[in-house]
Amino acid sequence: MGRWICCLCSRAADPLMLLLVLALGCNSSTAATASPSVPHVKPSYSFGRTFLGLDKCNACIGTSICKKFFKEEIRFDTWLSSHLKLPPSSLLSYSGNYTDDAKSWRLVDITRLTSKYQHDRADKRICTSLLKTKTCSLERALRRTQRFQKWLRAKRLTPDLVQGLSSPMLRCPSQRLLDRIVRRYAEVPDAGSIYMDHLTDRDKLRLLYTLAVNSHPILLQIFPDVEGWPFPRYLGSCGRLLVSASTRPLRDFFGAAPEVAADLALQLLAVLRSMANNDLNYFFYFTRVDAGTFGVFSNGHLFIRDASTLGIIDKEEGSQLIDGQQEYKDIFSCLTVDCQSAFVSCDSIREKHSLVMVCQELLPKLLAGKFLPPVQERIEAFLRSCAHGLGNGRDAGEAMAELTEILKPLRSCDSRFAYRYPDCRYSDKY
């Protein structure tokens, strides 16, 4: 067959036949083995189950957003390079990109509940204290505990089921708050019920584990930004990684221009006011603040970036755990903190609690040396008084109103503050 084609090729008697021959080629081996075109192979982004923490499920946060990772609809910033390598697993947080349509991308934060070192230490503690081995099935070990067996039998999440957990959110729990957790837990299909009938055993373990390690993702779920709460949007979890809307930490703005610093300080005061007084009658307070507690979106809007240190007191129902019950300790109490850590009494928290910490840790760094002497001196005098507990019988509301009056004339109205521009041109609110 090959010789016949080459013979035709040499004679080239028929133009149409010549074109056919040229297309096939006069090489007999080529003609005999016409290979199909090879499809383009898309680069593969390889996830290890260990990197995501899926190997530890169901002692993990959840799996609601895993498909987006594996479909490459969530990408780490390092994936924009040619090497396509996963970032180091030792980091606590990562900057990433998220898409719903593969065309438009938005920035997200990808975070762990705690550092990988702390996770590994907690995993080892579970095995050694519950099964007396160095390694074990975390799920099997935790399912045997008395606390989880009570969770399995429970129809409703009640204060006794969360007693002794280290999360500040659960130190003074009310039944109303616990019902809200169950009703809005986003890692399961929404049942809109206060009863746990729609939670599988796996779901209950994931919820308990998350509450025991870090309540940050739960707060983002039960107090969503779309309802006006000052938290970034919760997008989902995969293994031990949480994905939420991206913010820049407040520390990045300590060197900002005076009008930007004034605007952020005013927003910070507004957040504290809303945390103390809101329509749902929950009083939020911080147990600790630092330069990463608050964050700023690209439009200049300030939010609570890290909610892990937020405690909640229900002003409507009050706490349904007495201090003696808070002292109960088990393995779930010790996953991320020293088991000997003392709880803060619910009755000792005052409205000025968070304001004093912000005056000590954040406002001096944000407002230092930013303004002309008369105004700067007034600000520094206020911060000194606030950092020492306010004094002079002033309550938190009066103190915040005083600082607000100092700062309001110092902020500007321009496109840098997209969250309130151009509204600020037509409203006395700004």
Side-chain angles (χ1 to χ4, degrees), residues 49-66 69 111-113 119 187 206 209-210 236-242:
R49 288 171 57 81
T50 303
F51 180 86
L52 291 169
L54 281 171
D55 59 325
K56 303 299 176 64
C57 281
N58 293 304
C60 62
I61 318 174
T63 56
S64 61
I65 210 165
C66 286
F69 276 107
T111 55
R112 300 183 186 277
L113 293 187
H119 268 313
E187 287 298 312
R206 291 178 180 178
Y209 180 85
T210 307
S237 299
C238 184
R240 289 180 169 179
L241 290 180
L242 153 75

Side-chain angles (χ1 to χ4, degrees), residues 105-373:
W105 294 80
R106 51 190 165 121
L107 290 175
V108 292
D109 289 332
I110 305 170
T111 55
R112 300 183 186 277
L113 293 187
T114 187
S115 70
K116 189 174 186 304
Y117 167 75
Q118 287 178 302
H119 268 313
D120 291 344
R121 191 173 66 169
D123 294 345
K124 188 177 295 184
R125 185 183 293 131
I126 291 169
C127 293
T128 54
S129 58
L130 296 180
L131 297 182
K132 312 302 180 187
T133 60
K134 290 184 179 180
T135 59
C136 68
S137 165
L138 299 177
E139 179 173 358
R140 189 178 303 121
L142 293 176
R143 286 176 70 92
R144 293 182 180 181
T145 61
Q146 182 180 2
R147 187 192 293 267
F148 187 66
Q149 288 301 311
K150 289 176 66 176
W151 273 63
L152 289 178
R153 295 190 297 269
K155 293 291 185 181
R156 193 174 182 183
L157 185 59
T158 51
D160 63 296
L161 296 177
V162 299
Q163 64 178 307
L165 296 184
S166 62
S167 167
M169 183 182 78
L170 299 173
R171 291 183 186 176
C172 312
S174 68
Q175 188 59 59
R176 187 168 71 112
L177 176 63
L178 298 179
D179 288 343
R180 189 176 182 87
I181 292 174
V182 172
R183 198 171 60 245
R184 294 188 168 216
Y185 182 42
E187 287 298 312
V188 299
D190 181 16
S193 172
I194 63 174
Y195 297 102
M196 296 198 289
D197 297 335
H198 63 293
L199 300 185
T200 64
D201 295 358
R202 175 200 65 194
D203 298 329
K204 289 182 179 181
L205 181 56
R206 291 178 180 178
L207 176 57
L208 173 56
Y209 180 85
T210 307
L211 290 171
V213 176
N214 187 331
S215 59
H216 171 76
I218 303 299
L219 273 158
L220 269 55
Q221 294 168 45
I222 67 177
F223 298 108
D225 67 310
V226 294
E227 295 180 4
W229 297 97
F231 301 109
R233 180 166 301 181
Y234 177 81
L235 298 172
S237 299
C238 184
R240 289 180 169 179
L241 290 180
L242 153 75
V243 183
S244 60
S246 176
T247 59
R248 288 176 60 192
L250 187 61
R251 69 170 66 90
D252 290 358
F253 296 85
F254 286 163
E259 58 272 22
V260 174
D263 182 80
L264 292 174
L266 284 166
Q267 287 193 72
L268 208 159
L269 294 175
V271 167
L272 294 184
R273 276 193 294 269
S274 69
M275 294 287 91
N277 299 284
N278 51 74
D279 293 341
L280 293 185
N281 268 333
Y282 288 115
F283 170 59
F284 297 77
Y285 65 93
F286 287 98
T287 57
R288 188 184 72 255
V289 296
D290 58 36
T293 301
F294 294 89
V296 183
F297 284 124
S298 58
N299 65 358
H301 207 170
L302 181 137
F303 276 63
I304 296 173
R305 189 171 191 257
D306 179 6
S308 64
T309 63
L310 269 180
I312 303 178
I313 295 175
D314 191 335
K315 294 195 290 186
E316 194 169 296
E317 286 189 3
S319 171
Q320 295 184 19
L321 273 187
I322 60 175
D323 289 341
Q325 288 177 296
Q326 287 182 325
E327 297 304 320
Y328 173 87
K329 299 283 175 62
D330 67 355
I331 188 63
F332 289 100
S333 310
C334 313
L335 291 182
T336 56
V337 298
D338 182 357
C339 280
Q340 305 305 314
S341 299
F343 288 112
V344 177
S345 170
C346 302
D347 297 331
S348 66
I349 307 299
R350 299 289 179 267
E351 192 170 329
K352 67 180 182 180
H353 186 86
S354 297
L355 176 61
V356 170
M357 282 194 288
V358 165
C359 287
Q360 291 171 340
E361 300 295 331
L362 301 181
L363 289 178
K365 298 171 184 174
L366 183 63
L367 301 174
K370 290 287 186 357
F371 309 102
L372 295 175

Side-chain angles (χ1 to χ4, degrees), residues 269 355 382 386 390 394-404:
L269 294 175
L355 176 61
F382 172 88
C386 178
L390 299 176
R394 287 184 300 174
D395 63 25
E398 293 172 340
M400 285 190 280
E402 178 183 338
L403 184 56
T404 298

